[in-house]
C-alpha cells in the first residue's frame, strides 16, 4: 500500500499537465509535480475556505466549484484555482442592534437583497459543503434566524455562493448574521452568568 | 515499521470484548523519557547566538533562530512607509482579539496577515475552550490542573490571570456572536479534558475553532481595522532606544516591501507544526512555520521552553495523504478507547497528551501497533465503542469526525480509525508578562507564539482560552501605551549586530529566516515572487 505501487492519474491543474498518485488532492498533486503554490492554500482540512477551485471531470461538461484540498484527483480531471472575490459591501455591527425586537428590521436594512432572491439555486450548486443556502436565505428573510443559522453549521465562508449569486445577496454572510444574532441575543447560560457574578463579588481567588 | 498486520489486527479488534485496562508498567516521567520525541537526545542543540545563548533548543528551530535575515537596508530603498498606532501580525484568533480590543480602545490598527484573515490554527481547533463554570469547579482547580499538566513548569502568574479571565472570555465570545453547545435549558455544556479534575471545556460540536473564527472574522471585517492580507512580515524594526517600532512587510500581491511604523507591535503568528520536527506529520495550518519566534528573537526577545512540543495523541495515521490530520480529544473525552494491534487497551486515554502520545509510540516501537506498510503503523481509536454506548453521538456532536471518516472511506461508527501522534503545538515561545509584553519594549506576543502558560504540556481547551484572554489584554494595553510616544528613527539596525554574531559563531549564512512557507509549497522557486530574491552577497 506504499506510494510507489499506487495508481497514477493524469490531470490538468491551472493548465499544467500533471501525473500523480490518485490518493492526492489537487493541491498535493501540484506540489507533488514540483509546482509552487502559496495563495489559495490554508488549513488543508476543508475548514478555512481558501482553496476555491473549478473542477471538470472527464467526459462531463459540467463545471463544479469545490475546495482544492478536498478534491482528490481523477483521470482526465481539470482543475482551475479561483482568486478570492472582493469582500461583500454589506456591513453591520451587532452592538448597533438595540434589542432582539429590532433584528428583522435591521436585517432588511443591512441585507436588502435577501428578499429579492430569484431562486436560481446558484448558491446551492456552488456550495462545496452541500448546504441548502437558498433555504437559509429564505428563512432569514422571514426572520427565522435561529433556523436559518442552523443550516450554516458547516459553512467555511469560502464565498463561493457570494460569487454565484446574481442578486448580490452574499448568502454566506446572511447565514453568519443569522448565527451571530442568535448567540448575541439568545445565548444566556445560567451556569456562566452565575460564575461571572461570583467572580464579580470576589468569591473566587487563586493563589498567585 | 514493525507491528501486527492490519487484517490480523482488525480480527483481534473485532473478537476482543474486554476493554479492561491492565496496570501500566511505567510512570509518566519514565515513559516520557523513553518514548516522547522531546527527549530524543539527537534532536536537541545548544543555541550559540542571541538572548537564549546556551539554552537547549530543538535542532530544526535552532537553525531558523540562528538564520540570516531575508533583507538588508538596500532592499528597502524607496519602499513605501505607512504609519499606524498598533500593528497586529497574524490573522488568527489571537490577532483578531488583539486588533478588536486595540481598535475599541481608540487606536488606529493595521493587521498584517501572511495569508488571508482567519487562515490560522484557530479555525481548525476542535475540542473546545476551558472556563471553570460548573458547580464543583473553581478557577483555582483550573490553575492547579494547568500547572500540573505542564509538569509544574508553567508561569503561575500568567495562568492565574488566564483562569480568572476565562468566564469573561466566553461572555465576550458570545457577544461577538459565537454559538456554543447548550443543554435543553440553555446552559453551556461541558466536557472533560485529559489530565484535568472537572468538566470544564465548553465547545461548539467539534467545530469550536471554526465557529469562533467565523464570528471574529466578521467582527474584524466590520470594524475600522485595516486588514492587509498576503503580507508576511520578514523583519521587525526598532527605534533609537531599542523599542520595537514596526515591521517590514513583503506584499505578495505586487512583490514589494512596505514599512509599517507603529507605536506598538503585537505578534500573533501562531506555531511551528509545518517545520515537521523530528519528521512527524502535523495537524497544523499551512502557515504555521514559526515566523514570530524568529522575528522576536532577532530583535532581542527572550524565549523559553524551546525543547518542548506537543504531539497530539490522535492524528490520523492512514490513509497517507491525510496523515497527521487531527481527531479531537473530544472523542476520547466521550469515552473512546485506544487499542493496540492485539485489541488491548494500554493506557488511560484521559491522561495528559504527552503521556498518551508516549504510550502510543511505545506500543508501536515494541511491535504491538497495527502495521499498514513499511512507513506506517498506529493504534485503533475505538469510535464504534463510543457509538455503541451512546448511539447517535458521533453524528450529533462530531460532524467533522464523520466528514473525515467519509474522506477515508470509513464509517467511524462501525470501524475504528488508525491513529498515531501528530505534531500539534509549541508549548514554549516568547517570554511574556500578564499583559502579553515581551522583554523588548513595544513588542507584545500573544497566542501560540508566546510561552509560559502551558509549561511542558498543554491541556485541551487552554489554547483557545489563551489566545482570546491574552489577545484582548495585549490589544488594550498596546492601544493605551501608544498615545503621545513618537519614534525619532526607525530602522532594521539590529540586523548588523545579528550578522556580526552569526559570523563570530561561524553559523552558516545560507539559511534565511523566517521560513514563511513550508518547503512543499516551493516559495523560494516561485517565479511570481522573484522580486524578493536576493542576489548572493
Amino acid at each position: 500500500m506504499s506510494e510507489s505501487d499506487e495508481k497514477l492519474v493524469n490531470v490538468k491543474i491551472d493548465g499544467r499537465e500533471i501525473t500523480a498518485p490518485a490518493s492526492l488532492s489537487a493541491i498535493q498533486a501540484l506540489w507533488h509535480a514540483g509546482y509552487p503554490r502559496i495563495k489559495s492554500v490554508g488549513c488543508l482540512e476543508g475548514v478555512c475556505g481558501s482553496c476555491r477551485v473549478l473542477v471538470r471531470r472527464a467526459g462531463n461538461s459540467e463545471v463544479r466549484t469545490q475546495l482544492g484540498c478536498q478534491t482528490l484527483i481523477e483521470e482526465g480531471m481539470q482543475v482551475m484555482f479561483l482568486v478570492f472575490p472582493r469582500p461583500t459591501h454589506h456591513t453591520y455591527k451587532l452592538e448597533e442592534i438595540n434589542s432582539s425586537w429590532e433584528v428583522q428590521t435591521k436585517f432588511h436594512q443591512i441585507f436588502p437583497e435577501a428578499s429579492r432572491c430569484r431562486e436560481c439555486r446558484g448558491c446551492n450548486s456552488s456550495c462545496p459543503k452541500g448546504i441548502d443556502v437558498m433555504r437559509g436565505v429564505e428563512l432569514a428573510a422571514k426572520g427565522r434566524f435561529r433556523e436559518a443559522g442552523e443550516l450554516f453549521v458547516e459553512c467555511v465562508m469560502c464565498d463561493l455562493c457570494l460569487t454565484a449569486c446574481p442578486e448580490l445577496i452574499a448568502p454566506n454572510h446572511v447565514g453568519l448574521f443569522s448565527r451571530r444574532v442568535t448567540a448575541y441575543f439568545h445565548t444566556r447560560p445560567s451556569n456562566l452568568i452565575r460564575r461571572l457574578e461570583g467572580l464579580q463579588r470576589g468569591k473566587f481567588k487563586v493563589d498567585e | 515499521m514493525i507491528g501486527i498486520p492490519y487484517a490480523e489486527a482488525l480480527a483481534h479488534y473485532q473478537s476482543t470484548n474486554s476493554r479492561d485496562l491492565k496496570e501500566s508498567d511505567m510512570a509518566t516521567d519514565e515513559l516520557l523519557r523513553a518514548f516522547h520525541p522531546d527527549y530524543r537526545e539527537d534532536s536537541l542543540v545548544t543555541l550559540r547566538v542571541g538572548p537564549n545563548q546556551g539554552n537547549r533548543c530543538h535542532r530544526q528551530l535552532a537553525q531558523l533562530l540562528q538564520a540570516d535575515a531575508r533583507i538588508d537596508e538596500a532592499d528597502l530603498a524607496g519602499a513605501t512607509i505607512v504609519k499606524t498606532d498598533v500593528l497586529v501580525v497574524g490573522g488568527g484568533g489571537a490577532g483578531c482579539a488583539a486588533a478588536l480590543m486595540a481598535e475599541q480602545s481608540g487606536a488606529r490598527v493595521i493587521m498584517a496577515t501572511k495569508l488571508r484573515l482567519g487562515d490560522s490554527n484557530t479555525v481548525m481547533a476542535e475540542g473546545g475552550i476551558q472556563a471553570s463554570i460548573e458547580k464543583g469547579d473553581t478557577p483555582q482547580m483550573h490553575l492547579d490542573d494547568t500547572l500540573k499538566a505542564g509538569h509544574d513548569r508553567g508561569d503561575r502568574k500568567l495562568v492565574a490571570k488566564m483562569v480568572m479571565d476565562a468566564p469573561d472570555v466566553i461572555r465576550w465570545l458570545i457577544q461577538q456572536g459565537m454559538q456554543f453547545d447548550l443543554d435543553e435549558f440553555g446552559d453551556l455544556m461541558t466536557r472533560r479534558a485529559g489530565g484535568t479534575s472537572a468538566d470544564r471545556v465548553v465547545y461548539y460540536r467539534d467545530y469550536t475553532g471554526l465557529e469562533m473564527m467565523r464570528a471574529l472574522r466578521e467582527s474584524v471585517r466590520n470594524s475600522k481595522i485595516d486588514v492587509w492580507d498576503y503580507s508576511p512580515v520578514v523583519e521587525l524594526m526598532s527605534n533609537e532606544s531599542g523599542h520595537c517600532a514596526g515591521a517590514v512587510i513583503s506584499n505578495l500581491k505586487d512583490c514589494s516591501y512596505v514599512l509599517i511604523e507603529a507605536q506598538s507591535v503585537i505578534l500573533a503568528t501562531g506555531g511551528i507544526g509545518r517545520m515537521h520536527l523530528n519528521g512527524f506529520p502535523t495537524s497544523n495550518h499551512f502557515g504555521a512555520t514559526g515566523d514570530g519566534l524568529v522575528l522576536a528573537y532577532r530583535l532581542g526577545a527572550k524565549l523559553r521552553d524551546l525543547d518542548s512540543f506537543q504531539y497530539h495523541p490522535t492524528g490520523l495515521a492512514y490513509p497517507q495523504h491525510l496523515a497527521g490530520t487531527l481527531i479531537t480529544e473530544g472523542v476520547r473525552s466521550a469515552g473512546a478507547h485506544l487499542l493496540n494491534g492485539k485489541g488491548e487497551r494500554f493506557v488511560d486515554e484521559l491522561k495528559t497528551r504527552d503521556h498518551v502520545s508516549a504510550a502510543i509510540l511505545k506500543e508501536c516501537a515494541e511491535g504491538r501497533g497495527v502495521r499498514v506498510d513499511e512507513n506506517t503503523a498506529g493504534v485503533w481509536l475505538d469510535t464504534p465503542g463510543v457509538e455503541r454506548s451512546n448511539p447517535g453521538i458521533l453524528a450529533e456532536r462530531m460532524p467533522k469526525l464523520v466528514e473525515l471518516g467519509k474522506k477515508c472511506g470509513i464509517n467511524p461508527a462501525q470501524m475504528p480509525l488508525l491513529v498515531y501522534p501528530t505534531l500539534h503545538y509549541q508549548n514554549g515561545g516568547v517570554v511574556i508578562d500578564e499583559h502579553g509584553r515581551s522583554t523588548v519594549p513595544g513588542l507584545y506576543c500573544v497566542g501560540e507564539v508566546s510561552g509560559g502558560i502551558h509549561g511542558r504540556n498543554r491541556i485541551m481547551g487552554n489554547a483557545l482560552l489563551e489566545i482570546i484572554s491574552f489577545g484582548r489584554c495585549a490589544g488594550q494595553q498596546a492601544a493605551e501605551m501608544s498615545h503621545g510616544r513618537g519614534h525619532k528613527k526607525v530602522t532594521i539596525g539590529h540586523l548588523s549586530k545579528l550578522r556580526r554574531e552569526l559570523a563570530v559563531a561561524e553559523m552558516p549564512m545560507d539559511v534565511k529566516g523566517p521560513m514563511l512557507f513550508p518547503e512543499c509549497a516551493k516559495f523560494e522557486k516561485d517565479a511570481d515572487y522573484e522580486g524578493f530574491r536576493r542576489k548572493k552577497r
Side-chain angles (χ1 to χ4, degrees), chain A residues 1 23 38 42 45 50 70 84 91-92 153-155 173 179-180 184 190-191 195 204 206-207, chain B residues 116 119 132 137 140 156 176 179 187-188 204 207 211 214 218-219 222 286 318 321 400 407 523:
Chain A
M1 281 205 246
S23 64
I38 286 156
E45 261 186 28
S50 287
Q70 303 296 299
F84 232 76
T91 62
Y92 66 93
V153 169
E154 311 255 346
C155 175
H173 291 277
R179 294 187 62 77
R180 294 180 79 208
Y184 185 82
S190 70
N191 48 357
R195 180 53 51 96
F204 299 97
V206 292
D207 306 330
Chain B
R116 295 181 317 126
D119 275 346
S132 66
D137 195 12
Q140 181 68 48
R156 180 175 276 268
Q176 303 299 315
Q179 295 194 10
D187 277 3
L188 287 165
Y204 182 74
Y207 283 133
E211 174 68 5
R214 277 194 291 236
E218 204 76 337
S219 284
N222 285 294
F286 176 64
Y318 185 81
H321 69 281
K400 196 173 171 198
K407 275 183 260 169
F523 174 67

Side-chain angles (χ1 to χ4, degrees), chain B residues 130-146:
Chain B
Q130 293 234 6
S132 66
I133 55 164
E134 295 290 22
K135 233 178 176 174
D137 195 12
T138 62
Q140 181 68 48
M141 287 162 71
H142 187 176
L143 175 118
D144 293 341
D145 284 345
T146 302

Side-chain angles (χ1 to χ4, degrees), chain B residues 244-459:
Chain B
C244 182
V248 181
I249 307 289
S250 51
N251 180 345
L252 298 183
K253 290 172 176 168
D254 64 3
C255 217
S256 67
Y257 289 111
V258 182
L259 310 183
I260 300 181
E261 292 187 11
Q263 300 296 328
S264 348
V265 175
I266 302 175
L267 282 185
T269 50
I272 47 80
R274 291 280 156 185
M275 276 190 206
H276 294 286
L277 303 181
N278 297 319
F280 269 78
T282 182
S283 59
N284 280 190
H285 188 275
F286 176 64
T289 53
D291 301 352
L293 289 180
V294 176
L295 297 169
Y297 192 65
R298 265 189 208 152
L299 202 62
K302 180 108 176 138
L303 314 181
R304 56 174 291 168
D305 303 314
L306 299 171
D307 55 348
S308 174
F309 300 89
Q310 179 163 78
Y311 297 80
H312 192 291
T314 53
L316 201 62
Y318 185 81
Q320 183 102 51
H321 69 281
L322 293 170
T325 305
L326 187 70
I327 297 169
T328 172
E329 184 171 320
V331 182
R332 277 175 292 137
S333 183
H337 292 153
L338 292 168
L339 307 167
N340 65 18
K342 295 175 174 175
E344 303 164 341
R345 276 179 79 192
F346 53 90
V347 65
D348 171 358
E349 291 81 0
L350 285 180
K351 288 216 168 196
T352 53
R353 287 176 174 176
D354 52 353
H355 182 106
V356 178
S357 282
I360 295 172
L361 293 171
K362 178 170 186 267
E363 290 306 296
C364 292
E366 293 177 352
R368 292 183 299 276
V370 182
R371 183 181 185 275
V372 181
D373 60 35
E374 58 267 38
N375 304 315
T376 318
V379 298
W380 301 118
L381 177 65
D382 187 14
T383 45
V386 181
E387 185 69 19
R388 263 197 309 279
S389 54
N390 208 336
I393 188 172
L394 295 184
E396 192 184 334
R397 297 266 167 244
M398 286 142 198
K400 196 173 171 198
L401 173 70
V402 174
E403 274 300 305
L404 181 63
K406 280 184 202 157
K407 275 183 260 169
C408 308
I410 288 171
N411 176 357
Q414 288 166 2
M415 272 282 285
L417 294 161
L418 207 55
V419 297
Y420 190 79
T422 181
L423 181 55
H424 187 56
Y425 193 80
Q426 155 196 310
N427 294 321
V430 183
V431 173
I432 56 166
D433 69 5
E434 309 93 274
H435 305 294
R437 290 182 292 213
S438 75
T439 55
V440 174
L443 179 63
Y444 296 75
C445 294
V446 290
E448 194 170 345
V449 71
S450 71
I453 292 159
H454 312 293
R456 293 188 66 85
N457 177 65
R458 176 173 71 75
I459 46 183

Side-chain angles (χ1 to χ4, degrees), chain A residues 95-143:
Chain A
E95 309 86 84
E96 286 166 5
I97 306 173
N98 293 319
S99 86
S100 47
W101 295 98
E102 285 177 20
V103 179
Q104 290 199 29
T105 313
K106 282 280 184 188
F107 172 77
H108 288 290
Q109 288 166 7
I110 300 162
F111 296 99
E113 304 89 349
S115 49
R116 296 205 287 270
C117 171
R118 57 170 98 157
E119 303 187 7
C120 70
R121 298 189 172 272
C123 49
N124 284 24
S125 54
S126 68
C127 180
K129 296 284 172 183
I131 296 170
D132 191 350
V133 184
M134 198 175 85
R135 171 85 179 139
V137 171
E138 184 195 339
L139 287 168
K142 285 182 183 158

